[in-house]
Amino acid sequence: MDFNLSEDRRMLSDTLRRYLTEQYDIETRNKAAYEAPFYVPEKYIEMADLGVIGAFVTEDQGGFGGQGFDITTVFEELGRAICPEPMLASLMSVRLLADLGQDAMVEDIIGGSKRPALAVFEPEAGERLADITASFANGKLTGRKSVVYGAPNADVILVAARADGKIGLYLTETAETIDYAMIDGGGAAEVILDNTAAVCLAEDSEAALEAAFDAGRLALCAEAVGAMDVLLAMTVDFMKQRQQFGRPIAVFQALQHRVVDMAIEIEQCRSITVLAASHLASDQRAKYVAMAKNLIGRTSVKLSEEVIQLHGGIGMTWEYPGAHYAKRLTMIDHQLGDALIQLHKVMHAA
């Protein structure tokens, strides 16, 4: 979000970009993303030392940021590198814990000594918290959580579960996990809760969970903008090199128009992400974040398809970085509610 960076945010953006450029060429990134634990724990700690996680919460909560633009600053750079480190899980977890006054754990996460995961969604449940069936009773959790990003090798797992008719938040360090890599390289897990010991952090956490999810959705929007920027530049560079009829395909006007359309769509995504970031602390947060996630989701899928078509066969190969960007962009639409779900939210808010 270049035109919304304060001096501190610009410094963080520049530092993070340099670090990711040095650490995450596509071969290194893929090795980290698709081989257990599906990220590099040492890199996670190094990024924490750079202040990445501290940008997610306010000074009063132990960080130094916490605003919407602090989140977008970090995640745009993560998107440019399609970095597999579980920062989305850390963002939502640390904001949730900060809202619930868990200062000691917030400090541990900001410092990188604890890696959290947030387990909410279930195999038979939709996007609504009201659909949660996992339960807590007598200090034990029962149920199953699906596609929990960041759960592989997490030190603590925050679990949303039902007790006495309310959705509370519970902490466990002993849950069984079935770890795997998603198609985009993100590490996720099924979390099995079979009379698993847990500690209650909040008996009613619905409002805090919704706020954390909206911060996560905003982060995904910024990540998508960063990834789309790189993918478009990659496509233009490829078109200047690929020859057809004795000329680079970049000279053909019909293809130039398609590239211009994509550039315009990316700027629309950037603008609506900025709008959502500016409303993250307002009572209109859910509406503007849903608007942004809807547009980002639709554009991410469309742009990925366009780029692969412009590349031809190479655009689908494992060895070409563009394929991995396209997979990540497609997955971003599905995380934390796809474009259709967000549209329903916007209509309901209106």
Side-chain angles (χ1 to χ4, degrees), residues 112-134:
S113 61
K114 283 192 180 295
R115 294 185 297 277
L118 178 59
V120 178
F121 304 116
E122 303 174 0
E124 303 300 326
E127 294 293 325
R128 299 187 312 149
L129 294 177
D131 295 329
I132 289 175
T133 60

Side-chain angles (χ1 to χ4, degrees), residues 105-299:
M105 188 164 296
V106 168
E107 183 178 349
D108 288 340
I109 295 172
I110 289 176
S113 61
K114 283 192 180 295
R115 294 185 297 277
L118 178 59
V120 178
F121 304 116
E122 303 174 0
E124 303 300 326
E127 294 293 325
R128 299 187 312 149
L129 294 177
D131 295 329
I132 289 175
T133 60
S135 62
F136 175 82
N138 301 319
K140 305 287 186 179
L141 286 166
T142 302
R144 177 167 177 163
K145 299 294 182 177
S146 289
V147 197
V148 182
Y149 268 76
N153 279 35
D155 299 301
V156 295
I157 299 179
L158 306 179
V159 179
R162 186 176 298 279
D164 299 325
K166 297 179 180 180
I167 302 300
L169 187 72
Y170 306 90
L171 182 148
T172 180
E173 300 180 8
T174 60
E176 177 188 353
T177 64
I178 303 173
D179 303 343
Y180 48 84
M182 300 294 288
I183 191 174
D184 62 336
E190 301 297 293
V191 177
I192 312 300
L193 304 167
D194 185 10
N195 287 322
T196 303
V199 176
C200 178
L201 299 181
E203 294 180 350
D204 185 356
S205 61
E206 288 196 41
L209 281 165
E210 291 292 355
F213 286 152
D214 279 338
R217 293 179 185 112
L218 175 64
L220 289 171
C221 291
E223 183 183 349
V225 170
M228 286 190 282
D229 269 345
V230 173
L231 190 54
L232 181 61
M234 198 181 298
T235 303
V236 171
D237 183 65
F238 176 81
M239 291 172 63
K240 291 177 180 178
Q241 298 178 53
R242 181 182 174 188
Q243 298 281 323
Q244 190 72 35
F245 307 113
R247 293 181 291 174
I249 64 172
V251 304
F252 297 119
Q253 192 174 56
L255 300 187
Q256 291 175 359
H257 288 170
R258 290 174 69 176
V259 170
V260 169
D261 287 343
M262 287 190 289
I264 292 172
E265 289 170 350
I266 292 173
E267 289 308 308
Q268 289 177 326
C269 289
R270 189 188 311 278
S271 295
I272 202 166
T273 301
V274 169
L275 179 64
S278 69
H279 283 86
L280 188 63
S282 77
D283 56 3
Q284 295 290 303
R285 177 200 72 224
K287 173 183 176 181
Y288 285 104
V289 169
M291 289 169 59
K293 187 69 165 55
N294 171 267
L295 179 60
I296 292 287
R298 290 185 287 114
T299 304

Side-chain angles (χ1 to χ4, degrees), residues 54-69:
F56 299 156
V57 292
T58 66
E59 290 187 26
D60 292 342
Q61 297 168 329
F64 62 85
Q67 297 183 27
F69 292 117

Side-chain angles (χ1 to χ4, degrees), residues 68-91:
F69 292 117
D70 297 304
I71 295 171
T72 57
T73 297
V74 169
F75 277 85
E76 184 172 359
E77 295 304 326
L78 296 177
R80 294 180 65 86
I82 48 173
C83 176
E85 305 302 322
M87 287 300 165
L88 180 64
S90 295
L91 164 69

